Amino acid sequence: MDFLNDDFFDGLSKEEIEQLNSELCDDLLPAADRVKYHIDKKGQNFVDKEALTKWMEEAAIASQIGQDYIPYVKETKGKKFVKVEEKKEKTVYDDEFEKLLAEAEGVGGEDINDGDIDALAEILGANSLLGSVDVTSCSRPGKETGLKSTVTDIAANKILEPVDMDEVNETDVEESVQRMSDNDSSLTSVCFNNIPLELEVVEKITTAMLRNTHVTKLEMCNCAIIDDSIEGFINMLKANSVLQSLSLETNKIAGKYLKLLVQSLEFNETLKELRIANQYFTTGVGDEMAISKALEKNNS
């Protein structure tokens, strides 16, 4: 390639130089120089972008609108937010409240009736009323029905002692369950309070109580009892005719299953005391009302 010098190129015409350039390819050349096709057209004048944009806008405004034209309407997608006005609570004056409360406690000058109870329920709210009166016994002043309550009984002026949830219980669970299964006549009261019990153990206890004829008091407070165990207690209450006191406070039983438990008392005429307060789950108003109605049917 030594012959490619200035003298060589001076003897070539423009067409010959272009032909030679098309045959040779040097990777070091820019891409624009390596392209075989070149445009000989001269560049146009500078384009005024603003003027062109303005012209397009004017042309668009001046053009005729077709039949398929849909005018733009500003609107919000989805449902329009509508602020809900809060319901105003009924205003209760102090003298009206005090009068109803005094009558409910039996110290008023007039006898309380169902209408006064309904008015008091409207003022306090159903949940507050059920949480303050004797729900488990459904009793009103001068009328004792149902089981003993775990809250203060104003009419009887008697308070049931609460269960100590910090007390250490050294009861031998296996031995007690075996004695219950054997129907030991010397075993009349069993206390499993504050002892976490597995589901299988609870089932053994309720199964043993189906045929037991000596245990009159069964305490199972704070034992981590769950909803799956309630069926065993229901069958126990239906079959056992000796048990007089059952305590299931401070466990993990939902209101729906507490309702089923209390409804089973319709088939039991010996139980005198049922303690189911202070559960891990909050009992709804509907379940509380169902419990109250079920206790009204109990005769023990």
Side-chain angles (χ1 to χ4, degrees):
M1 301 292 293
D2 294 338
F3 65 91
L4 296 178
N5 48 34
D6 294 339
D7 296 335
F8 175 78
F9 288 106
D10 291 340
L12 297 177
S13 63
K14 181 178 179 181
E15 290 77 9
E16 291 175 340
I17 292 176
E18 291 179 354
Q19 182 180 1
L20 180 62
N21 186 37
S22 63
E23 298 296 337
L24 299 177
C25 181
D26 190 351
D27 295 337
L28 299 178
L29 292 176
D33 295 338
R34 295 198 304 267
V35 175
K36 296 181 179 180
Y37 177 76
H38 293 279
I39 299 175
D40 296 333
K41 186 178 180 180
K42 296 181 180 181
Q44 297 179 349
N45 297 332
F46 177 76
V47 177
D48 189 350
K49 183 177 180 181
E50 294 183 359
L52 180 60
T53 303
K54 183 178 180 181
W55 175 85
M56 292 174 64
E57 292 178 353
E58 294 176 351
I61 295 173
S63 63
Q64 295 182 354
I65 299 176
Q67 296 180 356
D68 58 344
Y69 171 74
I70 300 176
Y72 170 75
V73 179
K74 185 177 181 181
E75 58 183 6
T76 303
K77 293 184 178 180
K79 295 182 179 180
K80 185 178 180 181
F81 173 75
V82 179
K83 185 177 180 181
V84 180
E85 297 183 359
E86 298 181 357
K87 296 182 179 180
K88 296 183 179 180
E89 297 182 356
K90 180 182 178 181
T91 304
V92 181
Y93 297 99
D94 293 342
D95 54 349
E96 180 183 356
F97 175 81
E98 292 295 337
K99 178 183 177 181
L100 292 173
L101 184 60
E103 292 178 356
E105 295 179 349
V107 297
E110 301 177 359
D111 294 334
I112 188 170
N113 52 39
D114 293 342
D116 294 331
I117 288 293
D118 294 338
L120 185 60
E122 181 181 359
I123 295 171
L124 298 179
N127 195 20
S128 300
L129 182 62
L130 291 174
S132 60
V133 300
D134 192 351
V135 177
T136 54
S137 66
C138 300
S139 63
R140 294 180 182 175
K143 181 182 179 182
E144 291 299 328
T145 59
L147 304 178
K148 293 182 180 179
S149 171
T150 58
V151 298
T152 305
D153 189 341
I154 300 175
N157 194 19
K158 180 174 62 176
I159 301 177
L160 298 178
E161 293 295 331
V163 178
D164 187 0
M165 296 305 168
D166 297 327
E167 181 181 359
V168 179
N169 193 342
E170 299 179 355
T171 301
D172 190 331
V173 177
E174 294 184 2
E175 179 184 353
S176 298
V177 174
Q178 187 61 45
R179 292 178 63 187
M180 294 168 65
S181 300
D182 297 339
N183 201 13
D184 188 349
S185 60
S186 62
L187 184 66
T188 59
S189 178
V190 184
C191 179
F192 295 113
N193 291 348
N194 302 328
I195 301 177
L197 301 176
E198 298 291 339
L199 178 61
E200 293 77 8
V201 178
V202 177
E203 291 178 351
K204 290 181 180 180
I205 294 173
T206 54
T207 303
M209 287 297 296
L210 290 174
R211 296 176 297 274
N212 190 284
T213 57
H214 298 287
V215 175
T216 59
K217 185 175 184 179
L218 179 60
E219 297 181 86
M220 301 180 68
C221 301
N222 195 26
C223 294
I225 298 175
I226 58 177
D227 298 337
D228 295 338
S229 304
I230 296 303
E231 184 178 358
F233 285 101
I234 292 175
N235 295 332
M236 178 191 73
L237 291 176
K238 290 181 179 180
N240 189 287
S241 58
V242 178
L243 187 66
Q244 298 181 7
S245 176
L246 175 62
S247 299
L248 297 175
E249 292 180 303
T250 317
N251 284 296
K252 298 181 179 181
I253 308 173
K256 178 175 65 174
Y257 293 93
L258 291 177
K259 176 186 66 176
L260 297 176
L261 179 67
V262 176
Q263 287 176 344
S264 66
L265 295 176
E266 182 179 354
F267 307 96
N268 186 292
E269 297 182 354
T270 58
L271 195 68
K272 303 296 182 183
E273 181 181 43
L274 176 63
R275 305 179 71 160
I276 55 176
N278 195 33
Q279 299 297 325
Y280 180 81
F281 304 103
T282 303
T283 304
V285 175
D287 293 330
E288 288 180 343
M289 297 297 292
I291 290 173
S292 302
K293 292 180 180 179
L295 288 173
E296 290 179 352
K297 301 178 182 180
N298 182 263
N299 298 320
S300 60

